[in-house]
Amino acid sequence: MNRAVWFLVTVYVSVPVILYLFPCILGHIIFAHLLRFPFSADLGRPEDVVNHTRNFYLNPEEGISVGVWHTLPASQWDDAEGKTPEWHQETLGDGSPVIIYLHGNAGTRAMKHRVALVKILSEAGYHILSLDYRGYGDSSGEPSEAGMTRDALYLYQWVKTQNRGSLVCIWGHSLGSGVATNAAVKLQEQGSDADALILEGPFTRIGDVVVTHPVAKMYTFLPGFDSLLWSILETNNLVFANDQNLKVLTSPLLILHSEDDNIVPYHMGQKLHQISLQTQKEQNTDVHVEMVSYSAHLGFSHSSIYLDPNLSNVVRGFLQKLIQ
């Protein structure tokens, strides 16, 4: 019994020591890019999991290749039979809105809840481009906040050269929300607002999620542990500051958040909503900002908002306000 107790104590104490000595470990935990779920998926064959989807690759910078799935609107499925990759690319200019989907940590663009959302958006009449950032899935390189932001920004700008002026919406889920607002800030700094942003289960900043994680809470009584985590995040250049980004962004915004989210607390989504409303007020803009909350009794938690039978209407209502 004494040996077991000492073993548990040793393991418990070793965690902050290991993080201090090897700060890169926290980055790997946050990105979780090595967990390439589902392991059996052939990312080169998206048709195995979602209809009329083409796989292709882009090079956001020298030496980096990122994998992307382009899923057509369901209304074009019949016309797509037997068509070439060039035909698929040209359809981006058909006038239908394009949604760039930026997923959260762990797994690939083939994960079940991600594919389920893509199917819903396709049925609703949208093109969807699902990106695996560098280091994820079959994309090369290693993930970093700056690198993932460049990947998303490059994809957005690439779409803009293809779509002949139709609306392009950036949808970021969880960790992807930080990538989405980072990319939108970069666009704004370059002189053009992102057409629209949808943030699903977004956090205020990544450090707020880390320090409120159940494992981190086990160490909160240890003096300086929270400071250690923040210091490690700074060392790894990991901020993903949605709160700061929304203080300057003037893009239309829709926030989706479930009250029973067990990864990113619901109050973070509420705070971001208030920040964005305040930004538009201070800048005297009429940009549309909206938040849709999901009751805890629905059980959508962090990754199942796609189960909302009204989701396509929510998205359509938001985007139609921008097109009119």
Side-chain angles (χ1 to χ4, degrees), residues 224-296:
F225 185 72
D226 281 5
S227 297
L228 172 64
L229 292 178
W230 284 105
S231 175
I232 293 173
L233 289 169
E234 183 178 354
T235 299
N236 284 289
N237 295 312
L238 292 175
V239 185
F240 290 108
N242 283 328
D243 53 357
Q244 295 301 310
N245 289 341
L246 290 181
K247 287 180 180 179
V248 300
L249 283 175
T250 54
S251 296
L253 172 67
L254 170 63
I255 295 175
L256 308 173
H257 215 135
S258 181
E259 294 175 355
D260 66 332
D261 193 319
N262 61 348
I263 302 296
V264 179
Y266 172 69
H267 68 80
M268 292 190 185
Q270 289 179 304
K271 183 174 182 179
L272 294 177
H273 182 224
Q274 291 304 313
I275 289 173
S276 188
L277 288 174
Q278 184 63 30
T279 299
Q280 310 319 317
K281 181 179 179 180
E282 291 175 354
Q283 300 198 25
N284 194 29
T285 73
D286 59 355
V287 169
H288 184 69
V289 175
E290 180 182 354
M291 180 171 181
V292 176
S293 302
Y294 295 91
S295 175

Side-chain angles (χ1 to χ4, degrees), residues 67-112:
V68 183
W69 282 357
H70 173 200
T71 302
L72 294 172
S75 59
Q76 295 191 22
W77 286 4
D78 290 342
D79 295 338
E81 289 292 344
K83 293 298 195 300
T84 65
E86 290 74 22
W87 181 90
H88 280 77
Q89 184 171 318
E90 289 175 2
T91 63
L92 290 169
D94 65 7
S96 301
V98 179
I99 295 177
I100 294 174
Y101 179 67
L102 306 176
H103 63 67
N105 73 339
T108 70
R109 55 196 187 275
M111 281 191 74
K112 180 180 177 181

Side-chain angles (χ1 to χ4, degrees), residues 44-249:
R45 289 181 49 84
E47 62 271 19
D48 292 344
V49 293
V50 59
N51 290 331
H52 296 292
T53 297
R54 181 176 73 92
N55 179 66
F56 66 100
Y57 300 92
L58 293 174
N59 302 104
E61 60 188 66
E62 186 176 353
I64 298 295
S65 170
V66 294
V68 183
W69 282 357
H70 173 200
T71 302
L72 294 172
S75 59
Q76 295 191 22
W77 286 4
D78 290 342
D79 295 338
E81 289 292 344
K83 293 298 195 300
T84 65
E86 290 74 22
W87 181 90
H88 280 77
Q89 184 171 318
E90 289 175 2
T91 63
L92 290 169
D94 65 7
S96 301
V98 179
I99 295 177
I100 294 174
Y101 179 67
L102 306 176
H103 63 67
N105 73 339
T108 70
R109 55 196 187 275
M111 281 191 74
K112 180 180 177 181
H113 66 277
R114 295 165 186 166
V115 169
L117 175 63
V118 166
K119 290 178 178 178
I120 291 168
L121 296 176
S122 172
E123 290 286 351
Y126 306 120
H127 292 273
I128 308 96
L129 294 171
S130 305
L131 169 69
D132 266 331
Y133 323 102
R134 62 187 65 197
Y136 284 81
D138 55 351
S139 299
S140 63
E142 288 293 322
S144 67
E145 179 171 356
M148 293 161 69
T149 300
R150 286 195 293 272
D151 296 342
L153 181 62
Y154 185 88
L155 178 56
Y156 182 93
Q157 294 172 328
W158 179 84
V159 173
K160 278 295 189 180
T161 67
Q162 309 292 324
N163 75 332
R164 301 172 192 167
S166 62
L167 184 144
V168 180
C169 174
I170 305 176
W171 183 313
H173 174 229
S174 193
L175 184 64
S177 70
V179 181
T181 64
N182 278 352
V185 167
K186 293 291 186 184
L187 283 169
Q188 195 163 292
E189 290 173 349
Q190 295 171 8
S192 61
D193 292 344
D195 291 346
L197 288 172
I198 297 179
L199 305 182
E200 178 188 356
F203 46 76
T204 44
R205 58 178 56 203
I206 193 63
D208 295 331
V209 178
V210 172
V211 298
T212 58
H213 192 277
V215 175
K217 284 184 175 180
M218 294 169 54
Y219 292 88
T220 52
F221 73 91
L222 289 180
F225 185 72
D226 281 5
S227 297
L228 172 64
L229 292 178
W230 284 105
S231 175
I232 293 173
L233 289 169
E234 183 178 354
T235 299
N236 284 289
N237 295 312
L238 292 175
V239 185
F240 290 108
N242 283 328
D243 53 357
Q244 295 301 310
N245 289 341
L246 290 181
K247 287 180 180 179
V248 300
L249 283 175

